Amino acid sequence: MKKNSKSNLSRRKLMKSIAAVGSISAMPGFVNYSQASSSAPIRIGFQVHRTGIGAAYGRWYDRTTQAAVKIINDSGGINGRPLEIISEDDGTDPKRGAEALEKFANQHNCDVAFGTLFSHVVIGSAPRAGELKLPYFVVSEGHHVASGMLNRYTLQPGITDVKSQVQAMAPFVKDNLGKKVTMVYPDFAFGHDHRDYFSAAFESQGGEIIAKVPIPPTESSFSKYFPKIPRDTEVLYHVMVGPAVLTFVKELGEFYGSKGPKLFGFIDSVEAVDLNTPGLEFLDGSYFWEGNPRYAQDNQTVHDQFYRTAVGVDKNGASVSDPKDVSTYAHMFGCWETLHIIKKGMEVSGYSDVKDRSKLIEAVESMNNMPLSQAHPQGAKIFNGKTHQTFGHQYITKMTNGKLVLAHTTSIEDTFYPDEVDYTKQSF
Amino acid sequence: MELGPYLLFASLEGLVHAAVLSLIALGLSLVFGVMRIVNVAHGEFFMLGAIITWWVSSFVSGNPAIGFLLALLVVPIIVGMTAVLSDWLILRHLKYDPEATIIATIGILYIIQQFALMTFGPDAKPVEQPFNIRLDLYWFGFSAYKFFVIFSAIILLLAIWLVMSKTKFGLILRATQLDSETAQAFGIPISRVYNIVFGLGAAIAAVGAVLIVPIQQAHYLMGGEPLLLAFIVVIIGGLGSLKGTVAAAILIGMSDGIISVFFSPNIAKILATLLVVVVLIIKPNGLFGTTKT
């Protein structure tokens, strides 16, 4: 039988609860949002890869997002209103991704959606965002935003895209590693961006791609692909994603030992992997692209220091509470920066509720220079409002004694390419 | 790579694949042969074995071989007991009706998968190889542990064959497989045999999992592909035939290895599934299956 709760509430209990509420509001850090016209929270639908092949990224995207929200809320929220994150697991699955967006728009009444990484989920979800007229801030790296494939409601202001990244890598690979490259990449949208744009950029530099080896992103063993790598390969360009990346690099080491071609990898191949795992010694001396250097470098900025501490990452890029729990440091800054951009966009546009969504998008579209700051700890960026894509510095690190040490930083201009779309011409 | 070493590498990869596959398929074949039910949850018992291997070995610090040996002892027992329990709780109440057990084992599949996800999380779990030796075969390197996997699987298959053909327990299993009603008339406790066989089938798959985890990592979604391949092997080899299962596992494993290396893993899967169709048309009882009268 259901108890009658009224009869259980004694006077003493009531006094206790009142006292508790009072003491919470008196606590330091409890921000008074009373100046705002409405103090209802801004609701951000966070499409998170909690399960499925993107789970390691999802875990760290979540931690970064929570840290950024805490920082923003502690300093007064957005227009005096606190941020609230509504998380929805998409299982790293495009169909579930689109369903998550529907829930955000129709059930949770979210102001915007945010946070997707895997490109196939972005491509599967973005059309629904357009139909729902829900601003959709992705943190994905895919070129699909700037290629014009998506719509005006989808933006990628917090992380650079693969096309700009690989274009900036090509000269470095040719000048420092070799001219004959074999590419190993995951066989879906993200990997195809690598395949198409790196080979184009590299060939225009006078280099040659002698073989392309696609691997399904759900693959669990990789040795069988390695004999496809031609013997005269000078540089092996590798980029891999999914839960089995550790197996991928281990088997690569097993196959080649110290006799293989020079290695240039996207950090994705070892993202969330402890580089001191037995069997990975062969990576020493190889180069990696990093969106943001995992190890705190000698020239570490105060902003990186602040961001690292806020998210709970140590100087080796692992969780401060568990040195074996390695972060996805090269990517997750995108969540932090995107949330700060949403905040700025809402403040500039005077955002109050869902009817102001198009004003928010216009405000973000008119952003341009994003200087290195606490809001942009990865580095300065230039946002292109027409293509909805941001451009920024890229980092190349060299594995040296078990650590990734910065070897080269590209300029933002190295990453530019001509616009392929003007989303501002599309109507809302 | 030149053709010779290429072929050598592909064959070695194929043998490793065949070794583990024959263990998984043997478990499935045993359950089908004796109990006449299709265990769709078989791949999840394999996955459970892999994840528990990680869990057990994470308790043991120091030499990874100790954790591995401990897992080799403990994991098949835990997985086997889980299967025994699910038979006792669910399948026996369905009177082993072929259609109902398919649906029930699909349910068990999801329960085990979600249990693994909720308990151990969505990440891939690496297990260190018990010994980390890289053999340099001039053209390419190959892990010595992979030879150990092939070797262990052969020993285990021989042991299972001995048990099936030389012991009283084997005789009971064979009698039940041949004609369960007559076996029961001769005093064989059929329901206990079913219970044990279901556990044994899962335990054999779990041994395969313990062997593969140091190569592949444990992940809660890893059960799907081995299930599909095990079905293919069992159908080609002939349901319930030990010899046929091993022969088909070698055929599928080797061709998967070689075709994957020379062409693409997807083509290997397509061809294996096509082979099933051909076998079903030409020899519906499988290559080694006996026609039931």
Side-chain angles (χ1 to χ4, degrees):
Chain A
M1 250 177 67
K2 210 178 157 191
K3 278 188 183 171
N4 186 349
S5 58
K6 221 177 187 177
S7 63
N8 284 342
L9 186 68
S10 65
R11 192 183 56 92
R12 184 168 293 191
K13 269 189 186 162
L14 187 71
M15 295 297 281
K16 266 190 193 165
S17 344
I18 292 170
V21 170
S23 60
I24 286 170
S25 31
M27 260 156 62
F30 185 89
V31 182
N32 198 346
Y33 296 103
S34 58
Q35 341 58 329
S37 55
S38 156
S39 61
I42 302 243
R43 295 163 77 87
I44 297 198
F46 179 27
Q47 197 187 27
V48 51
H49 304 322
R50 223 181 271 295
T51 55
I53 60 169
Y57 286 94
R59 183 174 71 242
W60 281 98
Y61 267 42
D62 189 32
R63 289 178 186 166
T64 311
T65 298
Q66 302 300 344
V69 165
K70 187 172 183 306
I71 297 291
I72 291 173
N73 281 347
D74 284 353
S75 59
I78 297 178
N79 292 331
R81 293 164 63 188
L83 268 183
E84 188 187 340
I85 295 290
I86 319 286
S87 303
E88 198 66 64
D89 178 20
D90 61 17
T92 327
D93 177 73
K95 186 169 164 284
R96 278 179 65 182
E99 287 164 4
L101 290 189
E102 266 164 53
K103 274 190 170 176
F104 292 147
N106 299 331
Q107 285 179 23
H108 300 303
N109 204 19
C110 288
D111 295 281
V112 299
F114 143 89
T116 326
L117 167 70
F118 271 64
S119 55
H120 62 310
V121 186
V122 171
I123 292 168
S125 307
R128 199 75 193 97
E131 286 161 16
L132 294 162
K133 302 200 180 295
L134 177 70
Y136 182 38
F137 292 88
V138 299
V139 189
S140 147
E141 292 189 313
H143 178 58
H144 34 260
V145 178
S147 73
M149 178 190 193
L150 305 178
N151 52 57
R152 193 161 186 188
Y153 284 88
T154 309
L155 305 103
Q156 187 155 251
I159 194 164
T160 60
D161 74 330
V162 170
K163 183 169 181 175
S164 66
Q165 294 165 0
V166 299
Q167 179 185 311
M169 294 300 108
F172 183 90
V173 174
K174 202 205 88 197
D175 294 342
N176 298 285
L177 298 173
K179 282 184 181 163
K180 285 183 168 176
V181 169
T182 294
M183 298 183 72
V184 178
Y185 53 90
D187 197 8
F188 73 119
F190 167 73
H192 298 164
D193 281 355
H194 276 273
R195 177 193 65 193
D196 298 342
Y197 301 120
F198 181 78
S199 53
F202 195 64
E203 277 157 5
S204 75
Q205 293 278 324
E208 188 191 351
I209 307 290
I210 56 173
K212 296 172 182 172
V213 184
I215 299 182
T218 49
E219 184 58 271
S220 55
S221 88
F222 302 87
S223 292
K224 54 192 174 223
Y225 297 93
F226 298 145
K228 293 193 210 300
I229 301 166
R231 280 221 161 265
D232 56 342
T233 299
E234 290 173 6
V235 186
L236 181 64
Y237 176 106
H238 63 93
V239 51
M240 196 45 57
V241 291
V245 287
L246 177 60
T247 312
F248 171 73
V249 276
K250 265 190 174 172
E251 292 187 341
L252 196 62
E254 215 167 70
F255 189 81
Y256 279 121
S258 52
K259 294 194 296 193
K262 287 183 183 157
L263 298 175
F264 181 84
F266 266 61
I267 193 74
D268 310 54
S269 297
V270 287
E271 196 69 311
V273 165
D274 183 359
L275 291 171
N276 296 309
T277 307
L280 300 190
E281 301 80 8
F282 77 103
L283 287 174
D284 218 67
S286 79
Y287 289 89
F288 283 98
W289 164 91
E290 289 195 86
N292 199 17
R294 175 190 296 185
Y295 290 84
Q297 303 292 328
D298 289 340
N299 65 350
Q300 187 192 23
T301 64
V302 288
H303 306 300
D304 183 68
Q305 219 162 22
F306 178 85
Y307 157 74
R308 207 175 267 267
T309 315
V311 181
V313 175
D314 67 13
K315 62 184 191 326
N316 297 325
S319 162
V320 283
S321 55
D322 177 8
K324 289 243 168 269
D325 185 3
V326 176
S327 70
T328 57
Y329 206 77
H331 297 84
M332 64 201 204
F333 69 89
C335 292
W336 175 284
E337 299 206 1
T338 303
L339 284 169
H340 281 88
I341 290 163
I342 295 174
K343 169 181 154 75
K344 197 176 165 201
M346 286 186 167
E347 285 170 353
V348 170
S349 65
Y351 183 91
S352 66
D353 58 27
V354 293
K355 70 174 187 334
D356 296 334
R357 278 171 176 167
S358 50
K359 280 196 333 203
L360 166 66
I361 289 174
E362 282 170 338
V364 176
E365 280 170 348
S366 64
M367 290 180 187
N368 187 235
N369 276 315
M370 300 173 176
L372 173 72
S373 58
Q374 188 179 305
H376 298 283
Q378 185 262 357
K381 289 185 187 58
I382 295 173
F383 181 67
N384 183 335
K386 287 181 179 167
T387 63
H388 284 192
Q389 178 58 54
T390 209
F391 293 84
H393 297 286
Q394 309 297 331
Y395 303 98
I396 297 173
T397 52
K398 185 179 184 184
M399 177 99 160
T400 316
N401 302 321
K403 287 190 172 172
L404 293 165
V405 181
L406 190 62
H408 178 66
T409 305
T410 75
S411 70
I412 299 182
E413 288 71 24
D414 289 345
T415 70
F416 286 161
Y417 52 81
D419 292 358
E420 292 164 29
V421 65
D422 187 353
Y423 284 118
T424 59
K425 291 214 170 94
Q426 295 181 3
S427 59
F428 282 108
Chain B
M1 200 185 271
E2 300 77 9
L3 186 68
Y6 206 145
L7 203 62
L8 175 67
F9 181 79
S11 314
L12 286 175
E13 279 292 310
L15 269 179
V16 177
H17 196 59
V20 177
L21 186 57
S22 57
L23 288 176
I24 302 171
L26 197 65
L28 189 70
S29 171
L30 189 69
V31 169
F32 182 83
V34 176
M35 301 169 72
R36 297 281 145 187
I37 62 164
V38 177
N39 179 14
V40 185
H42 194 65
E44 303 312 309
F45 288 122
F46 170 76
M47 177 276 291
L48 197 63
I51 291 206
I52 298 178
T53 302
W54 167 78
W55 187 63
V56 168
S57 61
S58 66
F59 283 121
V60 185
S61 53
N63 196 330
I66 302 169
F68 177 79
L69 287 175
L70 185 67
L72 209 51
L73 285 175
V74 177
V75 170
I77 296 174
I78 298 177
V79 174
M81 291 312 289
T82 313
V84 166
L85 193 71
S86 49
D87 173 60
W88 188 75
L89 280 175
I90 302 164
L91 300 184
R92 122 188 122 102
H93 297 288
L94 301 172
K95 311 246 180 304
Y96 302 105
D97 173 69
E99 285 92 23
T101 45
I102 289 181
I103 306 295
T105 48
I106 291 175
I108 296 172
L109 179 157
Y110 284 120
I111 294 171
I112 296 176
Q113 196 180 81
Q114 292 306 304
F115 165 80
L117 172 62
M118 291 190 302
T119 316
F120 301 104
D123 295 308
K125 322 278 189 215
V127 174
E128 227 178 288
Q129 296 190 1
F131 48 91
N132 200 352
I133 304 170
R134 177 179 177 272
L135 301 175
D136 195 336
L137 304 180
Y138 182 68
W139 304 278
F140 56 85
F142 205 74
S143 157
Y145 175 75
K146 286 186 176 172
F147 285 109
F148 172 79
V149 171
I150 300 171
F151 179 72
S152 318
I154 293 173
I155 299 285
L156 208 73
L157 290 170
L158 280 176
I160 293 169
W161 175 75
L162 273 178
V163 168
M164 288 296 281
S165 57
K166 305 280 177 204
T167 64
K168 189 173 175 207
F169 176 67
L171 185 68
I172 291 174
L173 292 193
R174 279 182 292 141
T176 314
Q177 176 168 356
L178 215 60
D179 187 338
S180 58
E181 277 177 29
T182 316
Q184 194 160 24
F186 277 82
I188 292 174
I190 294 297
S191 60
R192 256 211 11 240
V193 170
Y194 279 8
N195 202 233
I196 291 169
V197 162
F198 201 68
L200 199 62
I204 295 174
V207 176
V210 179
L211 290 175
I212 202 74
V213 178
I215 304 176
Q216 266 195 11
Q217 300 190 74
H219 187 241
Y220 77 103
L221 292 175
M222 73 190 291
E225 195 187 293
L227 176 74
L228 177 71
L229 285 174
F231 269 129
I232 291 175
V233 164
V234 169
I235 292 170
I236 292 178
L239 289 160
S241 155
L242 198 154
K243 212 166 36 171
T245 305
V246 175
I250 293 172
L251 178 72
I252 294 296
M254 289 295 283
S255 67
D256 192 73
I258 292 172
I259 297 168
S260 297
V261 169
F262 278 92
F263 301 99
S264 100
N266 290 336
I267 292 182
K269 302 257 154 25
I270 293 169
L271 285 181
T273 322
L274 270 181
L275 189 61
V276 170
V277 177
V278 173
V279 167
L280 282 178
I281 293 171
I282 298 171
K283 233 172 160 302
N285 289 306
L287 297 179
F288 289 79
T290 44
T291 324
K292 281 198 95 178
T293 47

